[in-house]
Amino acid sequence: MEKNNAVRARRILEKAEREGRNFLLEPEVYALLRLFGFKVPSHIFLKSGEKLKADSLKRIKSKEVVVKVVSPLIQHKSDVGGVVLVKNSRREIELAMKEMKKRVGTAFTRLDKRHKISPAEVEESIRGFLIVERVNYLQVGFGSEILLGLRTSNDFGPVVTFGGGGLDVEYLNTHFKAGHNLAILPSSPLPAAVMKAILARTAIYGKIAEEFRGQKPLLPPEKLLEAIKIFQTIGQSFSLFNQKETYTIEELETNPLVMADDNLLPLDGLCRFSRRKIELAVRPAEQINKLLEPQTIAMIGVSEKMNTGHIILNNILKNGFPAENIYVVKPGVQTIEGCRCVPTVAELPVTVDLFIHSLGAEQVYPVMKDLVEHEKAYSVIVIAGGLGEKAGTEGLEASLRNLLKQKRQEGKIVPVVNGGNCLGVISRPGKYDSIFIPDYKLKRPHGVKAGLAMVSQSGAFMLSRMSNEGRLEPVYSISIGNQLDLTAGDYLQYLQGRPEVKIIALYLEGLQPGDGLNLLDAAKKCLAAGQKIVVYKAGRSPEGRKATSSHTASVAGDYAVSSSLLAQAGMIVTETVEEFESLIKGLAYLADKKVNGNRVGLMTNAGFESVIMADNLRGENGELVLAEFSGETVRKINQALAPAGIDRLQDVHNPLDVTPMADDATFGACVEALLEEKNVDCAVVSIVPVTAALQTLPPGEGQVENIYAENSLAGYLIRAFEKTDKPLIVNIDAGELYDPLAAYLEDHGLPVFRRCDRAVSFLRRFVAVQKG
């Protein structure tokens, strides 16, 4: 049935195309929607010059009708007086059409200054009039009218949108946060429970499709799901990636969609289409193993003096890759840094696992051509920029893609390519570092081996994160640049289920066409394997999208679509770089801790922090609740506070304020009691370290404190963290004088923040993520 519907729908599109249009007129939109299962209002389409027959009005039962002008020029009919409500009589309708024909041309010309179309031209464009029954739909104020749409994304293909319609659209988009104004769903089917959960976040769903104060839903949720499934079916039938179908529906929208007799009826609609198609690239992504864990490496662009290529070679050797397995393409030289040199690519003695190209952009194509003609590499890293990010260079990238595609079709050994415009790759399993930054300028992260893999479209972003968090030692750090060949989705497919990778950090600017689908598929596999994926998606503003284009030559997809679909696939989509960094850090440091609930214990030695931490228990991305202390915990804490007399000054409650009078032992005993409380699932311990009662400084002249002593605050915190299986966050609210304390705690695996609100916000999101 669906196939027959698609055939009939194609005929509607063909007819419009023959008339020189890439959009449907409103009666044609009605016809298309009816084919796929929508009920539409009773209507008559009266072509220009055609006489209205009184008998034809009998099919419209309403006492009043809506008369609409039908013109390819007029998209917003109400703005030009192209919609009127009149009595259902031949005389009234004919008079309305006559007057409408006169006024819409002048109104259109007055509003549309850009096209300079005369009133006569507008009048001539009128194809006819649509006479539609007046639908008596459910009027409930806000939420009476719904928007249901379909749009094509180059990244993800067709996506469906749902939200408030009519005049509510602009208000919702302006005043509501993303996700509350509009729901975005993929065109692929989703379980009903998942769809309802996505729709339930919108401002109007609860009003129309859920019980409210004992009242039944205004609209059975199943009716809404049916309507969305129809749009998903249309999207799949006329997808950008469906090569069997001639047309792509670029946009389909019904606004408003209204509730009448337990049905959803479209009152207005638009549809744009094209013949645009994208063929999804096929890459031998299994060769990524050769790129990330090579046994042999070849390079080109290495000078005898220090240059970019020579820095990369030194970094590779420093990471333990054997010099005897490295070849340098360099005529007239026998060896460089103990590595054998050969005059040309053709004279490489073996087909190497990895070839690193560090010459300029103009040399990329000829070298790549040699590599594929002579079958000399399984993978290539292209460092050079200028392959598409600058106007006029787009052809270089296209030529390279065509070369790879052609040779793969011929069955040759063709390398997978990382880059161009990339900073390189660090692979601990592969024992190499191909980043062209010397180690004296960037100390490579070392310390906590947390199973982190970072895949970043920007090499500089990747390096900044590595510099900021020098204790987290990634398994892989992959700068993918322009994604000339290998994409973010390809790397995610490779990393899924690998036991050495527990956390995947993604920085994305733009996706290659169709790679969004690849990314979503890989994400679901990663999550099924127990891996966490943290994403920062840049390019959310018009200015940001322009910047990403100039930076990596990838067109950034629509942020709302990307963030919604990535989150639905289970990825942790972050709003800020700070949140991105803190979640990676927290997931790494707290990898062995268990999240059994969201009951939090808060502790500090400063009253203001108790208030601020409590103020941050709830947020957009989760909620914490204050745990209730048992009588035994209250007794333990009072016992700990008694020696300093604090028990006479403060009642014990959550948040717990131990005051600046608490010394190291008192503070430590209270932390231990807090973590032993069965009602506490997680904890934030915040320290204002300036009090003289605590040892919060390293040994130094003029003072006797020692943060490294076993009986210091740090000693107590480290032992408490190692003993408990609950997530424990530490906050140190003070300046650089206390950096050694923060560093010492983090060296022992404790996640440390420097503002109490950020510490609580992180824990709130962390708990929500871990609970799923």
Side-chain angles (χ1 to χ4, degrees):
M1 180 65 75
E2 287 180 6
K3 185 176 180 181
N4 292 335
N5 291 339
V7 171
R8 295 188 186 102
R10 187 187 311 128
R11 290 174 188 152
I12 296 174
L13 302 178
E14 286 172 344
K15 179 177 178 293
E17 188 180 52
R18 285 196 301 271
E19 294 179 7
R21 291 184 280 121
N22 66 346
F23 59 90
L24 299 184
L25 302 174
E26 193 169 349
E28 295 167 329
V29 176
Y30 276 171
L32 185 144
L33 292 174
R34 192 192 305 120
L35 279 175
F36 284 91
F38 266 99
K39 291 187 176 181
V40 300
S42 299
H43 63 278
I44 300 167
F45 176 50
L46 195 67
K47 295 180 181 178
S48 288
E50 188 178 350
K51 293 291 183 181
L52 177 61
K53 297 177 182 179
D55 287 349
S56 63
L57 290 175
K58 292 180 180 178
R59 76 177 76 161
I60 300 178
K61 305 300 182 184
S62 59
K63 292 180 180 180
E64 294 177 306
V65 295
V66 179
V67 180
K68 304 181 185 183
V69 68
V70 177
S71 162
L73 292 180
I74 303 172
Q75 298 294 309
H76 302 287
K77 295 179 282 291
S78 58
D79 292 349
V80 296
V83 182
V84 294
L85 178 67
V86 298
K87 289 182 180 179
N88 186 1
S89 77
R90 179 177 174 183
R91 181 177 174 278
E92 294 281 345
I93 294 170
E94 286 179 340
L95 180 61
M97 292 189 295
K98 183 179 179 181
E99 291 178 350
M100 190 182 293
K101 192 171 184 180
K102 287 179 182 178
R103 69 170 172 265
V104 294
T106 303
F108 182 90
T109 303
R110 186 176 66 251
L111 291 172
D112 187 41
K113 308 289 186 185
R114 188 160 53 100
H115 294 98
K116 296 181 179 179
I117 297 172
S118 70
E121 289 174 306
V122 176
E123 187 174 330
E124 190 177 333
S125 76
I126 295 174
R127 303 293 176 89
F129 296 89
L130 191 63
I131 304 161
V132 189
E133 69 167 311
R134 181 182 183 179
V135 176
N136 291 315
Y137 60 91
L138 195 57
Q139 299 277 354
V140 292
F142 171 69
S144 299
E145 299 177 334
I146 298 168
L147 178 148
L148 189 59
L150 175 74
R151 56 154 291 193
T152 287
S153 156
N154 284 355
D155 303 340
F156 299 95
V159 294
V160 176
T161 55
F162 159 80
L167 298 177
D168 294 335
V169 174
E170 188 174 342
Y171 181 85
L172 286 167
N173 288 342
T174 303
H175 293 88
F176 282 71
K177 290 183 178 180
H180 296 293
N181 61 331
L182 199 70
I184 299 173
L185 303 103
S187 65
S188 54
L190 293 172
V194 175
M195 285 180 66
K196 286 182 181 179
I198 296 167
L199 297 173
R201 295 190 64 209
T202 61
I204 71 162
Y205 182 82
K207 183 172 184 182
I208 66 173
E210 291 181 343
E211 290 187 10
F212 182 71
R213 293 187 175 180
Q215 299 293 318
K216 290 183 178 180
L218 300 171
L219 175 74
E222 293 72 24
K223 293 287 185 181
L224 180 57
L225 297 186
E226 285 173 15
I228 290 172
K229 287 175 182 177
I230 289 173
F231 268 60
Q232 289 176 319
T233 299
I234 295 171
Q236 288 182 315
S237 299
F238 294 93
S239 168
L240 181 68
F241 309 128
N242 182 359
Q243 302 296 326
K244 295 179 180 179
E245 173 53 56
T246 306
Y247 297 103
T248 294
I249 289 185
E250 301 284 357
E251 183 181 13
L252 174 65
E253 179 182 291
T254 174
N255 180 23
L257 189 66
V258 299
M259 297 169 280
D261 300 324
D262 279 345
N263 283 305
L264 284 171
L265 265 66
L267 298 190
D268 206 345
L270 63 86
C271 177
R272 291 188 304 107
F273 64 93
S274 72
R275 284 179 174 257
R276 188 170 67 100
K277 293 291 175 182
I278 292 177
E279 184 180 354
L280 297 178
V282 178
R283 295 170 290 275
E286 67 278 1
Q287 290 175 208
I288 292 176
N289 184 63
K290 301 281 189 181
L291 190 153
L292 292 180
E293 297 185 39
Q295 300 301 305
T296 52
I297 295 177
M299 297 183 62
I300 193 167
V302 180
S303 171
E304 291 180 89
K305 296 180 180 180
M306 198 55 61
N307 70 340
T308 296
H310 205 135
I311 292 171
I312 293 172
L313 178 59
N314 284 348
N315 287 340
I316 291 172
L317 292 169
K318 284 178 183 176
N319 272 260
F321 201 91
E324 61 269 22
N325 290 348
I326 301 175
Y327 305 94
V328 178
V329 178
K330 180 77 174 175
V333 181
Q334 294 298 311
T335 62
I336 296 178
E337 301 289 357
C339 302
R340 176 183 168 186
C341 295
V342 296
T344 65
V345 166
E347 293 175 79
L348 284 168
V350 295
T351 299
V352 295
D353 290 337
L354 173 61
F355 188 94
I356 300 173
H357 187 294
S358 61
L359 293 171
E362 69 283 355
Q363 293 298 315
V364 174
Y365 186 86
V367 171
M368 194 71 70
K369 192 169 184 293
D370 279 350
L371 285 170
V372 297
E373 290 290 351
H374 299 288
E375 299 183 313
K376 288 298 182 180
Y378 290 104
S379 67
V380 176
I381 295 174
V382 176
I383 303 295
L387 292 172
E389 58 272 10
K390 186 176 179 181
T393 63
E394 299 88 347
L396 291 174
E397 201 170 275
S399 297
L400 286 163
R401 285 199 177 103
N402 288 336
L403 173 68
L404 297 174
K405 179 181 177 181
Q406 177 189 339
K407 296 302 179 182
R408 282 168 184 160
Q409 290 173 343
E410 292 174 8
K412 285 183 170 289
I413 295 175
V414 178
V416 289
V417 181
N418 183 85
N421 189 28
C422 82
L423 207 60
V425 172
I426 300 176
S427 170
R428 297 302 180 199
K431 296 182 179 178
Y432 79 89
D433 175 344
S434 68
I435 290 177
F436 57 84
I437 307 297
D439 58 5
Y440 63 83
K441 294 291 289 186
L442 177 74
K443 295 298 181 186
R444 280 23 176 201
H446 181 74
V448 180
K449 294 177 173 60
L452 172 65
M454 177 169 281
V455 180
S456 175
Q457 203 165 338
S458 164
F461 180 91
M462 182 177 80
L463 295 191
S464 295
R465 307 290 71 75
M466 291 164 64
S467 179
N468 288 344
E469 186 46 71
R471 290 180 183 82
L472 288 183
E473 186 177 324
V475 181
Y476 301 107
S477 301
I478 306 165
S479 164
I480 60 176
N482 288 0
Q483 303 173 92
L484 160 67
D485 187 39
L486 289 174
T487 65
D490 291 334
Y491 279 108
L492 212 61
Q493 292 283 8
Y494 176 81
L495 295 171
Q496 62 95 7
R498 297 188 71 85
E500 73 273 20
V501 176
K502 308 296 182 185
I503 306 163
I504 301 170
L506 288 178
Y507 171 78
L508 300 173
E509 291 174 354
L511 298 173
Q512 288 300 323
D515 196 47
L517 299 176
N518 189 23
L519 202 65
L520 297 180
D521 176 69
K524 290 170 184 174
K525 294 174 183 174
C526 289
L527 295 169
Q531 296 164 305
K532 301 292 184 184
I533 306 170
V534 184
V535 183
Y536 183 84
K537 176 70 174 68
R540 63 191 70 184
S541 66
E543 295 81 5
R545 287 193 292 274
K546 184 176 180 181
T548 63
S549 179
S550 64
H551 178 206
T552 62
S554 292
V555 179
D558 179 83
Y559 179 77
V561 170
S562 297
S563 60
S564 295
L565 297 185
L566 296 179
Q568 288 169 31
M571 299 190 198
I572 307 165
V573 180
T574 58
E575 292 297 317
T576 66
V577 174
E578 179 186 346
E579 186 183 22
F580 179 80
E581 289 182 334
S582 66
L583 275 167
I584 294 168
K585 172 180 168 180
L587 287 167
Y589 281 57
L590 301 174
D592 296 330
K593 305 302 181 184
K594 297 177 182 177
V595 174
N596 295 316
N598 66 339
R599 299 170 301 174
V600 65
L602 304 176
M603 177 178 158
T604 179
N605 61 343
F608 82 91
E609 291 201 327
S610 297
V611 179
I612 292 175
M613 288 194 291
D615 283 345
N616 283 274
L617 293 175
R618 294 170 185 81
E620 181 73 17
N621 296 314
E623 178 181 4
L624 298 172
V625 295
L626 290 174
E628 186 175 338
F629 293 162
S630 65
E632 178 61 16
T633 297
V634 172
R635 186 193 65 76
K636 287 181 182 178
I637 292 174
N638 274 323
Q639 185 178 351
L641 296 175
I646 304 172
D647 60 324
R648 298 191 301 273
L649 303 175
Q650 295 281 92
D651 290 331
V652 174
H653 51 71
N654 191 11
L656 175 63
D657 177 8
V658 297
T659 81
M661 295 168 58
D663 61 13
D664 301 88
T666 300
F667 206 107
C670 289
V671 170
E672 186 174 352
L674 185 76
L675 292 173
E676 287 176 350
E677 167 60 63
K678 292 181 179 180
N679 292 329
V680 169
D681 299 313
C682 52
V684 177
V685 173
S686 190
I687 308 154
V688 176
V690 296
T691 174
L694 295 173
Q695 297 187 76
T696 53
L697 295 172
E701 192 174 332
Q703 52 91 8
V704 295
E705 293 184 18
N706 182 6
I707 58 174
Y708 310 118
E710 283 192 17
N711 64 347
S712 71
L713 171 66
Y716 285 111
L717 288 173
I718 291 167
R719 288 191 293 276
F721 183 79
E722 291 173 346
K723 181 180 178 182
T724 188
D725 64 353
K726 300 174 182 179
L728 170 63
I729 309 299
V730 174
N731 179 67
I732 300 173
D733 198 349
E736 62 183 16
L737 183 64
Y738 301 94
D739 287 353
L741 173 61
Y744 183 59
L745 291 173
E746 290 206 331
D747 285 343
H748 284 81
L750 282 78
V752 177
F753 288 79
R754 303 305 290 267
R755 271 181 30 190
C756 63
D757 56 336
R758 291 177 180 171
V760 175
S761 296
F762 159 74
L763 184 60
R764 187 181 70 223
R765 183 79 192 269
F766 174 80
V767 168
V769 166
Q770 295 296 73
K771 287 175 65 181

